[in-house]
Amino acid sequence: MEMTATRWLQSILPLLAAVTLLRGADPYVAGIEKWRAEREARLKTDDGWLTVAGLFWLAEGDNMIGTSERDRVTLPSGAPARFGVIRFGGGRTHLTLHDGVEALVNGKRLRTAELRSDAATSGEPDIVTWRDLSFFIIKRGDRYGVRLKDKNSEYRRNFQGLAWYPVKPEWRIIARFVPYAEPKKVVLDSLTGDKQEETSPGVVTFKVNGREVRLEPTGPKDNLFFVFRDKTAGNSTYPAARFLYSKVQTNGTVILDFNKAYNPPCAFTPYATCPLPTPGNRLPFAIPAGELKYKGGGH
């Protein structure tokens, strides 16, 4: 049966409305909203920060893995009560699974394996997986620990969603990059008390209300990482710090889009090891842009 003109018009009205809405949307605002949605989606993935369910520092010698509170690495109930042992010494960790435990190391079924940490040259640790649980070795300062992930963690099940300031184009700031003659070593404190040594290629400078501001990032020039705190911290934003990424443009500028400033993992789980801003990155004014304080659990 042929569609009447009235029915045809009714069928395309939703499409016309959507096109009109898109034409009226600010492309910059739409881009920020898309970035924020993608950030939340990453948090909620099977491998996201919401799945981090434990952190256990290793002692020299044998570190038992199981479900007892006496075990150095404590797994959730439902896992094998005697899972295995990690022998640690001289910065090396060797895993041996107990008889009958079938787990994967980097996707392969193994009973014993030396586990590389996240400080390995490759930057990728070896991952042990058993059903919905996984763990790997991290190095923070002089300490080595086991980071446990659980796809069914309470932090993932009870996630309340992210909240943001409205997008404010005025907080997209063009800064100037001033390189150091040689990359500089920077030592960051962390919420776990460890020192994290990083490298900074230089500083960025910009003005806020006529005031000259300097921020010192770490990382390479094409992936600058800023750990900063401002006067919103502890009020509307996460108390310890917020993070921001950018890069040096070909003309020597850096775009600091504080609408993309986001909370560290410690805002969502107490088992993350988050760096704190250096004194120079603690700003004496408010930046009312970016991610707001999370309502759920964390540090």
Side-chain angles (χ1 to χ4, degrees):
M1 181 182 295
E2 293 186 1
M3 182 180 292
T4 65
T6 300
R7 289 178 59 194
W8 176 81
L9 181 59
Q10 289 174 339
S11 70
I12 68 168
L13 278 177
L15 178 60
L16 292 174
V19 171
T20 301
L21 180 63
L22 287 173
R23 285 179 176 174
D26 183 321
Y28 170 70
V29 173
I32 295 295
E33 296 292 357
K34 179 176 181 292
W35 181 91
R36 291 176 174 183
E38 290 170 348
R39 161 162 167 74
E40 182 163 328
R42 286 192 299 272
L43 275 176
K44 296 189 291 187
T45 62
D46 283 351
D47 195 42
W49 280 105
L50 295 172
T51 65
V52 175
L55 175 60
F56 311 95
W57 298 111
L58 296 174
E60 292 282 331
D62 288 349
N63 297 262
M64 304 306 296
I65 312 170
T67 57
S68 169
E69 292 183 359
R70 296 188 300 273
D71 292 320
R72 172 67 68 167
V73 180
T74 307
L75 304 179
S77 61
R82 298 179 70 246
F83 189 92
V85 61
I86 290 176
R87 176 162 291 177
F88 174 70
R92 301 179 69 175
T93 55
H94 190 275
L95 170 71
T96 300
L97 300 178
H98 280 302
D99 292 341
V101 175
E102 296 186 353
L104 304 177
V105 179
N106 298 333
K108 297 180 180 179
R109 198 174 301 281
L110 298 173
R111 287 204 65 254
T112 66
E114 184 163 336
L115 303 179
R116 295 171 298 179
S117 76
D118 63 354
T121 305
S122 66
E124 296 293 333
D126 295 314
I127 299 176
V128 181
T129 305
W130 182 84
R131 298 185 183 177
D132 286 340
L133 301 179
S134 63
F135 62 82
F136 54 92
I137 307 301
I138 66 170
K139 183 178 185 293
R140 296 295 181 269
D142 296 326
R143 295 197 293 175
Y144 287 78
V146 173
R147 172 168 286 163
L148 174 68
K149 289 190 172 186
D150 181 356
K151 293 179 183 179
N152 300 305
S153 79
E154 61 176 304
Y155 309 108
R156 191 184 191 196
R157 294 196 313 269
N158 301 326
F159 181 58
Q160 298 181 27
L162 302 181
W164 304 83
Y165 279 106
V167 179
K168 300 177 180 180
E170 63 269 27
W171 283 106
R172 181 184 183 273
I173 294 174
I174 307 300
R176 183 169 63 94
F177 178 69
V178 182
Y180 293 132
E182 294 291 338
K184 172 186 170 184
K185 294 293 182 183
V186 178
V187 177
L188 303 174
D189 290 322
S190 72
L191 282 174
T192 56
D194 298 292
K195 304 287 186 181
Q196 300 183 20
E197 186 176 282
E198 305 290 346
T199 303
S200 174
V203 297
V204 299
T205 65
F206 55 100
K207 287 188 176 182
V208 174
N209 296 326
R211 173 188 295 182
E212 185 80 10
V213 182
R214 292 163 57 94
L215 281 177
E216 186 176 51
T218 59
K221 291 195 292 185
D222 61 351
N223 195 36
L224 299 177
F225 177 51
F226 296 86
V227 181
F228 74 95
R229 183 189 304 161
D230 64 274
K231 286 297 184 180
T232 66
N235 296 312
S236 55
T237 64
Y238 186 63
R242 285 189 289 167
F243 294 168
L244 181 65
Y245 276 96
S246 189
K247 65 180 179 179
V248 180
Q249 307 292 319
T250 55
N251 63 358
T253 62
V254 175
I255 298 173
L256 297 177
D257 196 335
F258 289 102
N259 292 291
K260 292 183 178 180
Y262 66 96
N263 289 334
C266 294
F268 308 100
T269 171
Y271 303 114
T273 60
C274 297
L276 297 172
T278 57
N281 282 12
R282 299 168 190 174
L283 303 178
F285 54 86
I287 299 180
E291 191 171 333
L292 295 167
K293 188 189 303 182
Y294 179 57
K295 297 177 182 179
H299 272 310

